[in-house]
Amino acid sequence: MQIDLRHDPAFTVARLNLTPGEPVRVEGGAMIAHSDGVILTAKSEGGIMAGIKRKMLAGESFFVTTYTAPKQGGWVDIAGSLPGDIVPIDVTGDSPCYVAKGNWIANSNGVNVDTDWGGMKSLFGGEGGFGMRATGDGQVVVSVYGSIDVIDLEAGEVVTIDTGHVVAYDLSINFRMRKAATGVLNSMKSGEGFVFDFTGPGRVLMQTRNPDALGSWIRSLMPPSR
């Protein structure tokens, strides 16, 4: 699979170019268009329970659509639900990665994507929590809200990132989740919730905008229910 990006960085569309007979797995609703002859099959990848986990825990659709190119090859255009970048991430057997809730939109045939635990905050219904674990050999495609930032940490180097801005990270990297500020009063004053402390070596991908902050802003504009 070869990936061509256009309309980036604000409204990026990824064209997934497929060789004859090559399949690609795409998040339900992410497809914009595809070339003639591409075959679609939609199913709950890994069975019903896996589909429920993906929907309830990782925020992805119950069904995953597989697009398979015809004998002459083909392409599939995909995009995320929010305006921003699309980024392909290389995955190998030695370098699996974690993709945060709501960011995964596609993966090549050699990659297996499954629901995985990414932090305590999901217990309280907020940011972080369950996402997608990508293993195997190939590429996983993620969409972000805003632009993408990449941080490559040296051994022992530490960075603190708000949980709502984390998109993906190497599974080999060390991290912990904590409150951004100590004490209830400080947390209320700062307006910050939880953060990740990542310790290198390893790579972390961030999005420059926070989808949860967008949701809070939209809710603040809605009239109160009667």
Side-chain angles (χ1 to χ4, degrees), residues 111-124:
V111 174
N112 180 58
V113 177
D114 195 12
T115 308
D116 194 28
W117 176 252
M120 287 182 56
K121 186 122 185 249
S122 66
L123 294 175
F124 308 103

Side-chain angles (χ1 to χ4, degrees), residues 91-110:
V91 178
T92 67
D94 297 328
S95 183
C97 74
Y98 172 86
V99 179
K101 182 176 179 179
N103 292 106
W104 171 82
I105 55 172
N107 63 270
S108 59
N109 188 44

Side-chain angles (χ1 to χ4, degrees), residues 21-103:
E22 182 180 10
V24 62
R25 295 177 181 86
V26 177
E27 165 72 345
M31 189 273 290
I32 299 174
H34 63 76
S35 60
D36 183 48
V38 172
I39 299 172
L40 282 67
T41 55
K43 65 178 182 178
S44 174
E45 199 76 14
I48 293 177
M49 292 307 298
I52 293 174
K53 282 174 59 182
R54 193 164 46 245
K55 177 67 175 178
M56 300 300 295
L57 301 179
E60 309 292 347
S61 64
F62 182 87
F63 293 102
V64 174
T65 304
T66 299
Y67 295 81
T68 305
K71 61 182 180 180
Q72 70 271 23
W75 53 263
V76 181
D77 280 354
I78 61 173
S81 57
L82 291 173
D85 273 338
I86 289 178
V87 184
I89 301 173
D90 292 327
V91 178
T92 67
D94 297 328
S95 183
C97 74
Y98 172 86
V99 179
K101 182 176 179 179
N103 292 106

Side-chain angles (χ1 to χ4, degrees), residues 87-91 95-105 118 131-134 140-145 147-153 159 161-173 175 196 198 202-208:
V87 184
I89 301 173
D90 292 327
V91 178
S95 183
C97 74
Y98 172 86
V99 179
K101 182 176 179 179
N103 292 106
W104 171 82
I105 55 172
M132 309 298 286
R133 176 188 176 98
V140 60
V141 184
V142 299
S143 66
V144 306
Y145 180 29
S147 295
I148 190 74
D149 267 339
V150 179
I151 297 182
D152 288 310
L153 297 173
V159 65
I161 306 173
D162 179 90
T163 53
H165 288 269
V166 174
V167 171
Y169 51 83
D170 297 338
L171 280 173
S172 60
I173 200 169
F175 72 90
F196 280 118
F198 290 98
R203 168 170 287 191
V204 183
L205 277 68
M206 303 182 301
Q207 54 194 0
T208 60

